Amino acid sequence: MEHSGSEQAGARPRVLVRGAGVAGLVTAVTLAERGADVTLVEIGPRVGSGASWMAGGMLAPWCEAEAAPPEVTRQSVDSLDWWDAHVPGVVRNGSLVLAPPRDVGEIARFARRTSHFETVDGDAIARLEPDLGGRFGKGLFFPDEGHVDPRKALCALRDRLVDLGGNVRFDAPADHSDAGYDRVVDCTGIAARLRLAGLRGVRGEMLLLRCPDVTLDRSVRMLHPRIPVYIVPRADHLFMVGATMVESENAGGMTLRSMVELLTAAYVLHPAFGEAEIVESGVGLRPAYPDNMPAVTQDGRTVYVNGMYRHGFLLSPARARQAADIVFGVA
């Protein structure tokens, strides 16, 4: 299967990008916008055939500071602007952090590790999210954050690449020839494990629920000492609930424990989720390095963009710029 854009005149670097997940698509679009002749190949049948399809799509650099190194926030504060400029449907209503009454102490702990938030009481929570009125007495509101529907965003990036004259090939063989290309940019995630020292898979599980009786305007993080859970609204009263972080490369089906934890968090947020339809459950293996920081590395004429961990949508724009700098000789 192939989508082709029109050819453009002029001598441009010919770049083969491997992998049509979030890192590959953002990198391919960035390269094409800077003038490269880009071919994107994907062994799966569509964009996001790997972990990117299961992502939450939260664009929350300040919330991520709670558990991530400071450079994650520093390098991702402009990610909302990047996504807003490239795909439709970016929601910039902020993020809300809550905890059930028994775990309210987690709010203070989260606040100590983050910034750029407002402490909100029950009345403020009700103004932000009327359906949550009377259910929580304290929370944190991060007004400068947002979210995007990953599946729609990935498809929009594919279309953007084609509009820029790029080629996108699905169901491509893993050994697709790189002959005739000036550079190769490998964004194949966990599939590159044998070529990248230290790369490992981190299992994540998610649910898609349909609940017509609940309306949310922003992503909500439910804090818990063991497993924080986020609930991200999508169109048509769909909610993505995720995601576990398990040090395992088992890509098998969702475990009962994980499903119970995710469903319980949704129910605690609002009892109407007890009547929600479970539309989908999914498991993905996030690629991660030992320090859980995405990295751009180089081996000959191949540039690797990998180790996105849980920061794929947040840090892909920054890592794509690094890769493009290498391709164009800036770095």
Side-chain angles (χ1 to χ4, degrees), residues 60-62 64 68-80 82-83 291-296 308 311-322:
W62 309 111
E64 284 302 309
E71 52 264 40
V72 169
T73 295
R74 191 164 56 245
Q75 296 171 13
S76 65
V77 291
D78 62 348
S79 60
L80 271 84
W82 192 95
W83 285 104
D291 62 357
N292 294 332
M293 279 296 295
V296 177
M308 302 311 292
H311 308 306
F313 280 78
L314 262 185
L315 284 180
S316 282
R319 294 299 179 264
R321 288 192 293 268
Q322 285 182 257

Side-chain angles (χ1 to χ4, degrees), residues 58-324:
M58 292 186 300
L59 304 174
W62 309 111
C63 278
E64 284 302 309
E66 182 269 338
E71 52 264 40
V72 169
T73 295
R74 191 164 56 245
Q75 296 171 13
S76 65
V77 291
D78 62 348
S79 60
L80 271 84
D81 291 336
W82 192 95
W83 285 104
D84 217 358
H86 286 84
V87 305
V90 174
V91 178
R92 306 186 72 153
N93 291 339
S95 303
L96 189 59
V97 176
L98 303 172
R102 68 179 184 276
D103 296 320
V104 72
E106 293 295 303
I107 295 285
R109 183 193 61 81
F110 198 97
R112 288 194 298 269
R113 299 183 179 186
T114 56
S115 63
H116 291 70
F117 62 81
E118 305 165 9
T119 302
V120 289
D121 60 14
D123 290 340
I125 293 169
R127 287 193 295 272
L128 289 167
E129 297 290 357
D131 279 6
L132 302 184
R135 299 197 50 75
F136 299 92
K138 183 178 180 180
L140 305 175
F141 176 51
F142 293 76
D144 298 324
E145 299 187 334
H147 66 272
V148 65
D149 184 327
R151 300 177 181 185
K152 293 180 179 179
L154 296 177
C155 291
L157 289 183
R158 174 203 62 203
D159 295 343
R160 171 65 175 159
L161 179 59
V162 170
D163 289 344
L164 289 166
N167 298 317
V168 184
R169 300 175 182 172
F170 297 109
D171 297 313
D175 59 352
H176 180 88
S177 174
D178 58 12
Y181 294 97
D182 301 305
R183 286 278 192 172
V184 178
V185 182
D186 188 304
C187 306
T188 55
I190 195 64
R193 178 176 46 210
L194 296 180
R195 301 186 295 277
L196 295 173
L199 192 67
R200 75 190 195 283
V202 179
R203 177 183 168 97
E205 299 153 304
M206 54 77 72
L207 294 172
L208 271 183
L209 307 179
R210 178 174 283 111
C211 188
D213 296 324
V214 176
T215 297
L216 296 177
D217 291 322
R218 55 192 50 80
S219 60
V220 177
R221 296 190 184 220
M222 284 287 291
L223 300 184
H224 181 279
R226 198 178 78 79
I227 173 175
V229 173
Y230 49 81
I231 297 97
V232 187
R234 296 184 181 172
D236 302 320
H237 290 278
L238 278 174
F239 299 86
M240 188 275 192
V241 184
T244 60
M245 300 288 291
V246 182
E247 288 291 339
S248 169
E249 295 191 357
N250 175 14
M254 184 177 236
T255 65
L256 185 147
R257 173 184 289 181
S258 295
M259 182 169 287
V260 168
E261 288 176 336
L262 297 181
L263 291 175
T264 299
Y267 183 79
V268 170
L269 183 67
H270 199 294
F273 277 111
E275 302 302 319
E277 173 191 359
I278 300 176
V279 176
E280 180 183 335
S281 65
V283 174
L285 290 181
R286 302 178 178 95
Y289 287 113
D291 62 357
N292 294 332
M293 279 296 295
V296 177
T297 57
Q298 187 175 0
D299 183 7
R301 66 191 185 97
T302 299
V303 179
Y304 291 92
V305 182
N306 213 315
M308 302 311 292
Y309 188 51
R310 56 181 288 166
H311 308 306
F313 280 78
L314 262 185
L315 284 180
S316 282
R319 294 299 179 264
R321 288 192 293 268
Q322 285 182 257

